[in-house]
Each structure stands twice: as C-alpha cells, then as structure tokens.
Amino acid sequence: IVKDKWLDQEKYYLPNYSRLLNEKNQIKRDYELAIKLKNEEIQDNYLQFQFLADMITKHSDELVESCIKFFQWIGFEKVIDADLINKNLKEEDINIETERGLIIIEVKGLGGKTTDNDCNQVGKIKARRIEELQRFDVFGHFLVNHERHKPAATRSNPPFTAEQIKDAEYTKRGLITTWQLFNLFSAID
C-alpha cells in the first residue's frame, strides 16, 4: 500500500503538474509515432535491398534473381535472365549487353567450395556463344555463392584454387563471389 496515494488525483495536483504531465504524455505519443515510422522505414529499406542479403544466402533461381537486381542496381541497363531467352537451353544464367560486348554469367549457390567443373562451365558456354553469335566480344564470368550456410565473412575467400584462377586467366573469364559483390554496395551507396 502506498501512503497518501490519493494525492495523485487531479484535484490535488501541485502547480504546473497538469501541464508537465500533458507535455510528458505528448512526448511519449510523439516518440511512439517516431518509432513506428522509423520501423516502417527500416522494413521498407530491408525490402528494397533484400537482394543484397539474398546474394549471400540463396541458391538456384532466387540467387539468379538477386544477382540480376544487383547488376541493375549498379547501373547495367540490359540485364536479362538467360532462361527467359531460351527456356529449353539451360546454360548461362544472366546476359548483360553492354557497349563493349555481351557478358554471360553462370551463377551457382554451393554448400561447399568450387570445383573445376563449376569454374570451367562458363568457358564452355562462352565458346558456344562466340560461335553461335559470330562475335568475339563475349565475356564469361562465373559468380558463386559458396559455403552459403556459413556467415559470408567466415567463408574461404577466395574459394578458387590457384589452378582454377590460372585456368580462368588463360581463357579470359572472370571468377567472382557474391560476397565480393555484396561488399561493393558500401562503395556504391
């Protein structure tokens, strides 16, 4: 039991107490509204940039979709899901047409590390595109979300062996991780 609790009734308020209490309650309402609006802003921001988190966690079509959004976000205008071009031919995942040529990207989400076959696949696709399109401005890149069940910063980076890197240099194709792309956002934003 609190002694003299009856003094909390409005008829016993001390001078300025009513005004101060109203100001306090208004501050509380303003604070709650500001927190609600900030939480909505945080959620909207998350939804807008969720593709960045997806690039380092997803695999398969979800990974390809998030990478397409990333390439569009950094300014490439003609980014195409290659499966939409030819649904029967499952080869590269992304095509980017640029002034300098066609970039073809093979995207993989792996639970472990890259294999030689993973790294070399885009080289085979690149050779087919050069022949098929009768043009030499085709650039192949292998993009991997490796060890995707681990926190990205603790993964083996780079996931490519010295031989895989040498082979890529010999055949003029790129090797990159989604973690590397993820880290670019702070330089862009």
Side-chain angles (χ1 to χ4, degrees):
I1 299 174
V2 178
K3 185 179 175 187
D4 300 331
K5 184 72 176 156
W6 54 270
L7 287 172
D8 290 341
Q9 296 175 21
E10 190 172 353
K11 59 181 144 193
Y12 301 109
Y13 282 1
L14 298 174
N16 301 314
Y17 184 74
S18 182
R19 177 183 56 80
L20 294 170
L21 188 59
N22 287 335
E23 289 172 1
K24 175 186 167 189
N25 288 334
Q26 185 60 49
I27 290 169
K28 184 178 178 184
R29 285 190 298 275
D30 291 346
Y31 167 79
E32 289 169 352
L33 177 60
I35 291 295
K36 178 181 180 268
L37 293 174
K38 191 53 68 177
N39 282 336
E40 289 172 3
E41 189 178 339
I42 288 168
Q43 180 63 23
D44 290 346
N45 185 72
Y46 178 80
L47 292 174
Q48 181 181 357
F49 294 107
Q50 182 177 352
F51 67 92
L52 291 168
D54 288 349
M55 283 190 346
I56 56 175
T57 59
K58 301 296 182 185
H59 66 98
S60 204
D61 291 341
E62 290 176 303
L63 178 60
V64 171
E65 183 180 318
S66 65
C67 291
I68 288 171
K69 288 179 183 177
F70 176 84
F71 291 124
Q72 291 169 333
W73 180 59
I74 63 172
F76 285 108
E77 295 176 8
K78 297 177 183 175
V79 182
I80 299 167
D81 182 335
D83 288 344
L84 298 179
I85 297 169
N86 188 342
K87 293 179 182 181
N88 298 323
L89 187 63
K90 299 281 187 181
E91 289 194 327
E92 75 267 23
D93 294 298
I94 301 171
N95 288 343
I96 303 174
E97 189 67 54
T98 71
E99 291 177 4
R100 297 190 61 213
L102 176 65
I103 302 170
I104 59 171
I105 303 171
E106 174 70 11
V107 180
K108 283 204 187 287
L110 303 174
K113 295 181 182 176
T114 58
T115 66
D116 289 346
N117 284 339
D118 294 329
C119 295
N120 294 334
Q121 183 63 31
V122 76
K124 297 172 189 174
I125 298 167
K126 175 184 168 185
R128 283 195 282 272
R129 290 296 163 268
I130 288 172
E131 181 65 26
E132 173 189 297
L133 300 171
Q134 291 297 298
R135 58 191 273 194
F136 295 99
D137 60 348
V138 178
F139 306 95
H141 293 276
F142 174 59
L143 174 58
V144 64
N145 180 25
H146 66 293
E147 298 176 347
R148 63 185 174 82
H149 301 293
K150 292 182 179 180
T154 65
R155 299 173 186 175
S156 303
N157 283 302
F160 313 110
T161 66
E163 292 79 21
Q164 290 168 346
I165 293 169
K166 275 187 179 180
D167 288 345
E169 289 170 350
Y170 293 146
T171 58
K172 306 263 189 276
R173 56 189 159 80
L175 301 174
I176 193 164
T177 69
T178 57
W179 175 234
Q180 289 172 299
L181 293 182
F182 178 89
N183 283 298
L184 287 176
F185 88 87
S186 60
I188 296 167
D189 193 37

